[in-house]
Amino acid sequence: MTTTRVVEKMLSGEPLTMLTSYDYTLARLVDEAGIDMLLVGDSASNVVCGNTYTLPITLDEMIFLTRGVVRAAEHALVVADMPFGSYQISEEDAVRNSIRMMKESGCDAIKLEGGEEILPSIRHIIQSGVPIMGHLGLTPQSVNQLGGYGLRAKEEAEANKLLRDAELLAKAGCFSIVLEKIPADLARRVTEKVAPYHCATIGIGAGNGTSGQVLVLHDMLGLNEGFKPKFLRRFASIGEEIKNAVKEYTTAVSDRSFPNESESY
Ligand code: KIV
């Protein structure tokens, strides 16, 4: 998969598929199943590291996780999130850190949260040869400014800003934009607006009118049992399966039925 192919798929009306991945073993399974894009999201801060927010994860930690996913991906495009603090300080810093991510992790593209306020950095990063996926709507790195994880752009003023931001990102050359937790009608309008600039939209909690969909792998597999937002569909109950397997293992070790003769040398 390439960024060009992502755009071609969008233009032909074929829905794009993306899931997060943070390690080699799971990324290999997801890649083998035929996903278009693997996102090494900074949701790793929550899912992998157990933090409440995405903010603490560092660039070094994101590079470390992305390397494993890149080694696993034979087919999928690997997009790596640039963590909080790695692109907000200055344009120069943003370009330097983006190039570091590309060089040291081997990813195919990076993702940045924000619109007009980071546009100069976005332009410079793209000029340096790094493909960018934007991210608008609920942008978890700004949770302290947004005041929580609620639905975004319900009001006209915020919806208009989002439409404008999306157009600016698309004009600047972003090959795609994640739209997180916004009304479905607005996401459809954004999708129509950015398509002529060869920019796809990837929705999460943004309805069915986007060019594609993304979910956090651990959420859709049922590994994160406490998290049940309206937009999430559970496609498996792996959390239950893991707990049952661990209980069976504990019982087998406790009653000395494991290992048996055929499992011994
Ligand atoms: O970090 C992440 O997992 C994300 C997705 C929710 C789009 O940004």
Side-chain angles (χ1 to χ4, degrees), residues 191-212:
T191 304
E192 282 163 10
K193 190 159 218 117
V194 300
Y197 300 107
H198 288 194
C199 178
T201 58
I202 311 294
I204 172 162
N208 209 7
T210 51
S211 325

Side-chain angles (χ1 to χ4, degrees), residues 18 20 22 39-44 54 81 111 113 135 140 178 180 204 214-216:
M18 180 157 94
T20 64
Y22 317 101
L39 171 65
V40 189
D42 60 357
S43 50
T54 59
D81 249 337
K111 178 164 81 60
E113 295 182 8
H135 186 153
V178 165
E180 182 163 354
I204 172 162
V214 60
L215 283 176
V216 169

Side-chain angles (χ1 to χ4, degrees), residues 136-138 151-152 162 177-191 201-215 230-232:
L136 297 171
L138 174 60
L151 183 70
R152 302 308 311 175
L162 195 146
I177 303 172
V178 165
L179 299 175
E180 182 163 354
K181 226 167 171 190
I182 62 169
D185 275 356
L186 176 62
R188 193 180 296 277
R189 283 169 64 202
V190 172
T191 304
T201 58
I202 311 294
I204 172 162
N208 209 7
T210 51
S211 325
Q213 299 291 332
V214 60
L215 283 176
K230 175 177 164 158
F231 68 79
L232 175 64

Side-chain angles (χ1 to χ4, degrees), residues 140-153:
Q141 291 178 13
S142 309
V143 65
N144 293 309
Q145 260 174 348
L146 300 177
Y149 292 107
L151 183 70
R152 302 308 311 175

Side-chain angles (χ1 to χ4, degrees), residues 42-162:
D42 60 357
S43 50
S45 178
N46 314 86
V47 173
V48 178
C49 309
N51 294 313
T52 307
Y53 301 110
T54 59
L55 282 81
I57 200 157
T58 66
L59 182 59
D60 285 340
E61 287 165 341
M62 286 301 297
I63 290 172
F64 169 80
L65 295 174
T66 305
R67 277 194 199 128
V69 174
V70 167
R71 284 184 205 114
E74 294 204 346
H75 156 84
L77 187 90
V78 178
V79 182
D81 249 337
M82 293 299 287
F84 179 64
S86 67
Y87 58 95
Q88 291 90 345
I89 293 168
S90 69
E91 289 162 38
E92 196 186 313
D93 199 46
V95 175
R96 186 184 305 109
N97 286 331
S98 304
I99 289 176
R100 231 197 108 196
M101 173 59 92
M102 294 292 286
K103 275 177 97 89
E104 294 181 28
S105 77
C107 68
D108 302 302
I110 59 167
K111 178 164 81 60
L112 269 67
E113 295 182 8
E116 193 171 6
E117 55 290 352
I118 57 160
L119 198 63
S121 295
I122 288 200
R123 289 208 182 100
H124 278 95
I125 294 168
I126 292 175
Q127 273 162 19
S128 74
V130 176
I132 296 188
M133 174 179 277
H135 186 153
L136 297 171
L138 174 60
T139 46
Q141 291 178 13
S142 309
V143 65
N144 293 309
Q145 260 174 348
L146 300 177
Y149 292 107
L151 183 70
R152 302 308 311 175
K154 291 173 282 188
E155 313 298 337
E156 204 182 327
E158 194 180 332
N160 287 340
K161 173 169 168 27
L162 195 146

